[in-house]
Amino acid sequence: MRLFSRPAGEAPARRAESFSNRFFMVLFSLLVGIHCVNCTSWSYSEQIWIDLLHLFQLALYMLLLVKIVISFPYTIAQLVVFPVLIALGALSYLGSRDYDLLVLLVLLVASKGSDPRALVKRYFIIKAVGFVLTLLLCLLGILPNLHFLSGGVSYSAAGFTHRNVLGANATALCLAWFYLRYDRLSVLDLVAWLALDAGLFLLVHSRTTLGMIALICVGVFLFRKGEGLVFRTRWVRRAVPLIFFGMLAVSLWWMLFYDGTSAFWTWLDGIFTNRIRFASQCFEEYGLSLFGQDLPFVSTRESMAEGVDSLILDNAYLRAILVYGLLPGLAFYALYPIAMLKCYDNRDGAALICLALFCVFGLSERYMLDAYYQFPLIVGFQYIFSRESGKNGKALRRIYAPWARR
């Protein structure tokens, strides 16, 4: 008996594929919901239900792997690349003891065949409910309101684990809103989110959040207006990956050439709240590894509690190689610009501009590598290994599992 074969008809395979996609959406929804809880100050508590929630989260990750196994048919390219991506993610976890990249790669592979719009819509609803509930529970005194010192000033986290976490969730919500509203954008969308952006800044004083939401509002609005010209101009396609590689080049410049004695670098580092100095310090003290390393980071909360200096690496481009390792990091470096090119080729302007804006976000925040913020890459990934057609419209060969037969 052959291990893989093409069934006499494709109806059973399509039914199996439809089931696996619905299964993924359920798992994805539950994981996003758990992530909303993990973003709150409750995650610092020692209550037993927090530990049980983490065990449940681990069980859901195991089910994601099951989903990947039952998600036939696969193309030959998918059968080659998908195991390599998961293996690189696993090796990065073994080296760094940080599972963010592994989770991102597993979710990318497991999302094969998903409906991008349905996925983002569900993501937005769950995240929005979680965001509002967190603020409300903090206001009612049910959630602890943590405060952090920065430059001698105390800042509120408003029920989240950190003000930057609140800002990252708000940024992801804004991006998801503009993705879903892309074809019906109006000035009202722009004004409403800019007003909300100002309110959030008054609440938590996060410059990154203020800048990113403003950039999203203006960037998506203008791109939508000029989308026709973008897709009609041939050279634009060649320029698309340069957005990613430009941000990567800036990050490497920071890491390699930072000089703490220079007035210029001191000024620039002040703008990015010591992120450049921390990146250079991580590279100089710990260097690079093939499959990641467990760096002794000291969070803001730990620094305040123990009276020691912080060590944080928020730049996503540098975190990819310094924490997760050269090979897993290079895999991410390849996936991202390819996803951007595929979005361009498929004329998906909404996904393309979201990916481009996340490139900017990656300069100052690590959430570019976090699956629970990086929904644009999940959308773009659907185009990378699309099995509908190959070059020049030729059908791609599909590989079926025995259970896909009639």
Side-chain angles (χ1 to χ4, degrees), residues 1-272:
M1 184 182 82
R2 289 181 296 174
L3 179 60
F4 302 110
S5 61
R6 175 181 289 276
E10 292 193 5
R14 288 177 179 173
R15 285 197 296 270
E17 187 174 10
S18 176
F19 168 77
S20 70
N21 290 336
R22 291 195 301 271
F23 186 42
F24 171 76
M25 290 297 282
V26 171
L27 296 177
F28 179 74
S29 300
L30 291 171
L31 286 167
V32 173
I34 292 172
H35 183 260
C36 290
V37 177
N38 289 336
C39 286
T40 71
S41 53
W42 269 332
S43 65
Y44 288 138
S45 70
E46 297 180 358
Q47 301 177 59
I48 190 171
W49 70 271
I50 293 291
D51 295 330
L52 293 175
L53 193 64
H54 290 161
L55 287 176
F56 181 53
Q57 184 182 38
L58 180 61
L60 293 176
Y61 288 142
M62 296 300 104
L63 288 175
L64 275 179
L65 295 176
V66 172
K67 190 273 178 188
I68 292 171
V69 172
I70 67 173
S71 288
F72 282 87
Y74 284 111
T75 65
I76 294 175
Q78 290 169 344
L79 281 175
V80 171
V81 175
F82 286 1
V84 171
L85 290 178
I86 295 175
L88 287 174
L91 289 169
S92 76
Y93 169 72
L94 292 175
S96 67
R97 313 312 296 177
D98 184 318
Y99 57 76
D100 279 356
L101 184 60
L102 171 60
V103 169
L104 175 61
L105 294 175
V106 168
L107 273 169
L108 288 177
V109 173
S111 71
K112 178 188 78 77
S114 298
D115 178 350
R117 186 172 180 82
L119 185 145
V120 178
K121 185 176 181 180
R122 188 167 299 197
Y123 172 87
F124 177 83
I125 292 172
I126 296 170
K127 274 283 188 180
V129 171
F131 189 86
V132 172
L133 278 178
T134 300
L135 294 178
L136 182 60
L137 291 174
C138 180
L139 182 64
L140 295 173
I142 299 173
L143 264 174
N145 185 11
L146 304 179
H147 288 79
F148 296 87
L149 287 175
S150 179
V153 180
S154 177
Y155 294 105
S156 166
F160 288 82
T161 55
H162 194 278
R163 62 174 177 153
N164 288 345
V165 175
L166 183 156
N169 278 275
T171 300
L173 279 172
C174 179
L175 200 62
W177 174 272
F178 276 83
Y179 173 87
L180 294 169
R181 289 276 300 168
Y182 186 75
D183 291 327
R184 296 175 294 165
L185 276 179
S186 68
V187 176
L188 184 60
D189 295 283
L190 196 69
V191 172
W193 273 99
L194 287 175
L196 180 60
D197 188 23
L200 287 172
F201 181 74
L202 293 175
L203 177 65
V204 295
H205 300 277
S206 172
R207 291 179 301 170
T208 301
T209 305
L210 179 71
M212 277 307 304
I213 291 181
L215 181 63
I216 290 168
C217 293
V218 177
V220 177
F221 190 82
L222 293 179
F223 184 86
R224 178 69 184 90
K225 296 297 182 182
E227 182 190 70
L229 180 62
V230 168
F231 288 126
R232 287 196 304 268
T233 308
R234 291 185 178 181
W235 64 264
V236 172
R237 185 184 186 278
R238 294 191 294 270
V240 163
L242 297 181
I243 301 170
F244 177 87
F245 290 119
M247 298 298 104
L248 172 60
V250 169
S251 301
L252 293 173
W253 174 54
W254 288 356
M255 180 181 76
L256 296 172
F257 297 104
Y258 171 75
D259 180 2
T261 64
S262 164
F264 166 75
W265 281 111
T266 301
W267 168 77
L268 189 63
D269 190 39
I271 294 176
F272 286 92

